[in-house]
Amino acid sequence: AQRVTQPEKLLSVFKGAPVELKCNYSYSGSPELFWYVQYSRQRLQLLLRHISRESIKGFTADLNKGETSFHLKKPFAQEEDSAMYYCEGDGLTFGKGTMLLVSP
Amino acid sequence: SQTIHQWPATLVQPVGSPLSLECTVEGTSNPNLYWYRQAAGRGLQLLFYSVGIGQISSEVPQNLSASRPQDRQFILSSKKLLLSDSGFYLCAWNWQNTGELFFGEGSRLTVL
């Protein structure tokens, strides 16, 4: 079965520190992977997708087929980055999510 | 532009009562439609998805059912609610053959 794994339930960092939210997948072939974010009292929304290879709000994510990973990274965390982050594959399978807390 | 509406936003129901959560998409046609349940520590669990009118796929056996009576309407139902049905339910859509999901604001169901 296709699976997406986010090993960390909570990641707590200080403002300005680097952030890496981990995501591993178990899809065969070429999966289409996404990161979604849910800020407090807001809808779940797309942050970025691997095929666009773009940087959104300073976040990037690279698909590593050798490691079957799609980790989300940001070099300098901001307090407004505090949110719930979900890794997702092919529209059907979400990871359990990682809560990112950025403290001042 | 496309929008998705989900209601009610909050619902408190007694055990054994029926349930109907409704989701409507505007501004597009023939979308894929999804119902998810979001629970702390368990992420988003796909409950049902639909690729067309009357076409429902169930991902998890449970006390719930889904229907798609119209192209842009997706309904989550139960004949008799259980305590374990309490949770936060999200409706979502995307275009056929594309991945990005667009979510509704969610419905919080409390079964007492």
Side-chain angles (χ1 to χ4, degrees):
Chain A
Q2 297 168 336
R3 293 183 63 183
V4 173
T5 303
Q6 292 179 252
E8 303 144 326
K9 288 184 179 180
L10 173 66
L11 184 61
S12 184
V13 302
F14 289 105
K15 177 182 175 181
V19 168
E20 182 179 66
L21 301 170
K22 292 183 169 55
C23 173
N24 290 90
Y25 63 92
S26 62
Y27 287 74
S28 58
S30 298
E32 191 172 6
L33 293 166
F34 303 81
W35 277 99
Y36 286 83
V37 60
Q38 189 170 30
Y39 301 103
S40 178
R41 297 188 179 88
Q42 293 188 29
R43 301 187 187 204
L44 191 61
Q45 59 187 292
L46 178 70
L47 180 62
L48 52 80
R49 66 180 80 191
H50 88 272
I51 58 173
S52 61
R53 302 181 66 82
E54 58 193 343
S55 175
I56 302 293
K57 298 183 179 181
F59 284 97
T60 59
D62 292 321
L63 181 63
N64 186 322
K65 292 186 178 181
E67 297 181 356
T68 61
S69 68
F70 187 53
H71 302 330
L72 183 67
K73 300 178 183 179
K74 184 170 182 175
F76 307 103
Q78 303 299 315
E79 290 179 65
E80 55 265 30
D81 295 329
S82 296
M84 193 73 177
Y85 292 81
Y86 292 94
C87 184
E88 183 262 319
D90 290 345
L92 295 179
T93 307
F94 279 80
K96 292 186 177 182
T98 300
M99 172 66 77
L100 174 65
L101 292 177
V102 182
S103 303
Chain B
S1 64
Q2 299 80 31
T3 58
I4 179 169
H5 302 285
Q6 189 179 340
W7 70 93
T10 305
L11 193 60
V12 180
Q13 292 285 98
V15 169
S17 64
L19 170 73
S20 181
L21 299 180
E22 195 161 338
C23 173
T24 301
V25 178
E26 297 177 356
T28 187
S29 59
N30 199 29
N32 290 334
L33 295 170
Y34 306 82
W35 279 110
Y36 289 88
R37 179 160 50 202
Q38 185 180 28
R42 300 183 61 183
L44 269 72
Q45 182 185 35
L46 179 64
L47 303 176
F48 302 94
Y49 70 94
S50 171
V51 298
I53 296 175
Q55 300 179 59
I56 309 295
S57 297
S58 175
E59 291 295 304
V60 181
Q62 59 209 315
N63 186 44
L64 302 170
S65 62
S67 61
R68 185 170 177 173
Q70 300 181 45
D71 180 44
R72 291 168 290 175
Q73 185 185 28
F74 205 25
I75 298 172
L76 184 68
S77 304
S78 173
K79 292 182 179 179
K80 289 185 178 181
L81 284 168
L82 305 172
L83 287 173
S84 58
D85 292 324
S86 293
F88 192 62
Y89 292 86
L90 287 169
C91 183
W93 74 274
N94 63 3
W95 279 291
Q96 305 287 350
N97 301 320
T98 67
E100 180 182 355
L101 288 162
F102 299 91
F103 285 88
E105 292 183 336
S107 298
R108 184 160 302 280
L109 170 65
T110 303
V111 183
L112 302 175

